[in-house]
Amino acid sequence: MSVYSQGAAQSDPTVQPVPASVVEQVDAADVTLSNPRRAVIALGSNLGNRLETLQGAIDALEDTPGLRVKAVSRVYETEPWGVDPGSQPSYFNAVVVVKTTLPPASLLERGHAIEEAFDRVRDERWGPRTIDVDIVAYADIVSDDPLLTLPHPRAHQRAFVLAPWHDVEPEAQLPGRGPVADLLNGVGHEGVLPRADLELRLPE
């Protein structure tokens, strides 16, 4: 069992451990990647079939050449960020950890392609969306590149990113900001509800 699934199972008994056979398959697939880097990706959806869309995005990431999904968090239901309460449907959020040989810019392009495949519309800041695919962190890179700021400039403020990330990597560090556990304690869990009745699967 991978360290991610072990950590998730230990930190929350409602998290189902990933079957060893699946972990072995994913680990075996890593031999096809030359010097892969670890990346953390946040997913969110508040339109349509939110759970199905999140799973579809995870499967699309797994289908990306040069990328393997290594861990999938549980689902959290959260209030929309930056808008009046009740003005939009609630979000389903999750975090995935991947290993990839894609450089950050190519991973960003893939994220945008997945958003477009699910008819994501970018016509309103903080507007509702079928799917949001955000790169939270890529290896230990800290960059102010305006096209892709790393780590995500608001990740340290967002419980809907920190809580699911902490599920799968309890000891994780947000580059330049410190331990995810400490950041999560700082922002609190208000408005972020774990949905034990919902489950996303690790692609086989």
Side-chain angles (χ1 to χ4, degrees), residues 78 83 105 161 173:
T78 67
V83 299
V161 171
Q173 301 263 341

Side-chain angles (χ1 to χ4, degrees), residues 135-165:
I135 301 174
V136 177
Y138 184 102
D140 294 323
I141 293 176
V142 177
S143 169
D144 292 329
D145 186 331
L147 294 179
L148 177 58
T149 303
L150 291 170
H152 191 287
R154 291 175 293 279
H156 66 287
Q157 302 170 329
R158 295 178 167 179
F160 63 81
V161 171
L162 298 171
W165 186 4

Side-chain angles (χ1 to χ4, degrees), residues 60-119:
L61 285 169
E62 176 67 16
D63 287 341
T64 304
L67 186 151
R68 291 290 178 269
V69 177
K70 299 295 293 181
V72 179
S73 76
R74 58 181 171 171
V75 179
Y76 284 78
E77 186 167 10
T78 67
E79 291 303 313
W81 176 274
V83 299
D84 293 332
S87 63
Q88 291 183 23
S90 61
Y91 273 85
F92 283 177
N93 291 97
V95 160
V96 297
V97 177
V98 307
K99 284 188 175 181
T100 183
T101 55
L102 297 177
S106 297
L107 186 59
L108 178 65
E109 289 179 4
R110 180 57 175 157
H112 287 167
I114 292 171
E115 291 178 343
E116 291 173 6
F118 284 94
D119 299 321

Side-chain angles (χ1 to χ4, degrees), residues 8-199:
Q10 291 168 358
S11 63
D12 189 328
T14 66
V15 177
Q16 294 298 311
V18 178
S21 60
V22 174
V23 173
E24 289 169 5
Q25 290 172 14
V26 173
D27 287 342
D30 275 351
V31 301
T32 66
L33 303 181
S34 177
N35 298 318
R37 311 297 292 276
R38 171 185 150 282
V40 179
I41 298 174
L43 304 174
S45 173
N46 76 332
L47 290 178
N49 188 326
R50 296 166 293 176
L51 186 68
E52 183 177 289
T53 299
L54 290 181
Q55 186 64 61
I58 292 167
D59 293 343
L61 285 169
E62 176 67 16
D63 287 341
T64 304
L67 186 151
R68 291 290 178 269
V69 177
K70 299 295 293 181
V72 179
S73 76
R74 58 181 171 171
V75 179
Y76 284 78
E77 186 167 10
T78 67
E79 291 303 313
W81 176 274
V83 299
D84 293 332
S87 63
Q88 291 183 23
S90 61
Y91 273 85
F92 283 177
N93 291 97
V95 160
V96 297
V97 177
V98 307
K99 284 188 175 181
T100 183
T101 55
L102 297 177
S106 297
L107 186 59
L108 178 65
E109 289 179 4
R110 180 57 175 157
H112 287 167
I114 292 171
E115 291 178 343
E116 291 173 6
F118 284 94
D119 299 321
R120 160 75 188 270
V121 177
R122 295 176 178 273
D123 59 359
E124 178 187 350
R125 183 172 173 81
W126 312 125
R129 66 285 307 269
T130 50
I131 187 68
D132 213 359
V133 181
D134 284 330
I135 301 174
V136 177
Y138 184 102
D140 294 323
I141 293 176
V142 177
S143 169
D144 292 329
D145 186 331
L147 294 179
L148 177 58
T149 303
L150 291 170
H152 191 287
R154 291 175 293 279
H156 66 287
Q157 302 170 329
R158 295 178 167 179
F160 63 81
V161 171
L162 298 171
W165 186 4
H166 184 260
D167 274 355
V168 290
E169 290 192 311
E171 306 300 323
Q173 301 263 341
L174 181 63
R177 294 286 183 178
V180 169
D182 292 349
L183 296 170
L184 180 57
N185 287 335
V187 300
H189 290 75
E190 184 177 355
V192 181
L193 175 68
R195 290 292 302 268
D197 57 317
L198 303 176
E199 185 177 5

